[in-house]
Amino acid sequence: MTPSPRTPCIHPSILSADFANLERELSRISTADAVHVDVMDNHFVPNLTLGLPVVESLRAATDLPLDIHLMIEDADVWAPRYAELGCESVTFHAEAAQAPIRLARELRARHSSAAMALKPATGIESYLDMLGELDMLLLMTVEPGFGGQSFLDLVLPKIRRARKAVDDLGGEIAVQIDGGVNAETILRAADAGADTFVAGSAVYAAEDPDAAIAGLRGLLEH
Ligand code: DX5
Ligand code: ZN
């Protein structure tokens, strides 16, 4: 077991929320550490969600930190625009970035945390030397594109490798996982070294999303 030294964070994904009532849906996750916002363009992934105008409205509607997960092509062009809206963290996919080091630096220059995501089948090895450019590494535990999929246990060894690499650098970089996180899977990911947990359906399918957040946190405390 290689638990992270960081305090675990729960980031509910509003992909599973009611898009016609986003302000109300934000109020149901008032105890979240951040709001995870999935931006999809129907090119990088076969699904389409929301973009800059909606994120701008979310920014105005909440004081919770915004964790933007870009599942889009042309990340180099668009990611800095989300940082300019005042989002606390912007995640681009390694598979979609032409120049990930330059892009990470552009995000930090715009006062956003810089985060990079890897799809389940993307290896971490070729990115190890640039980890110091990042504030967070997102390891997808489902193929990106849709909520409600099953957690892929095959990602657990990569989480362990990421944990070790991050610890070797001093442990400041968050290790986030996204996809299939629920009461049954979260401890496996935490034991492998994840410290930041995105949960969509596990939070919003609950009658009381704030209680679901507390339930996930409670599991991590034991
Ligand atoms: C999927 C998204 C996830 C999604 C997770 O591509 O990146 O953030 O909302 O949903 P669950 O927690 O239901 O797997
Ligand atoms: Zn996501």
Side-chain angles (χ1 to χ4, degrees), residues 168-196:
D168 287 347
L169 285 174
E172 293 297 312
I173 303 162
V175 178
Q176 184 180 60
I177 59 156
D178 179 9
V181 174
N182 56 40
E184 195 257 318
T185 58
I186 195 166
L187 278 182
R188 294 209 287 283
D191 285 351
D195 51 43
T196 306

Side-chain angles (χ1 to χ4, degrees), residues 141-221:
T141 42
V142 296
E143 292 287 1
F146 299 93
Q149 302 181 74
S150 296
F151 184 88
L152 290 171
D153 280 288
L154 61 81
V155 182
L156 290 171
K158 184 163 60 175
I159 299 172
R160 285 190 206 100
R161 292 197 292 276
R163 177 81 263 147
K164 184 177 181 323
V166 163
D167 286 349
D168 287 347
L169 285 174
E172 293 297 312
I173 303 162
V175 178
Q176 184 180 60
I177 59 156
D178 179 9
V181 174
N182 56 40
E184 195 257 318
T185 58
I186 195 166
L187 278 182
R188 294 209 287 283
D191 285 351
D195 51 43
T196 306
F197 304 89
V198 176
S201 42
V203 169
Y204 273 108
E207 202 169 306
D208 180 348
D210 270 323
I213 293 168
L216 292 173
R217 280 208 188 99
L219 290 171
L220 295 169
E221 280 164 14

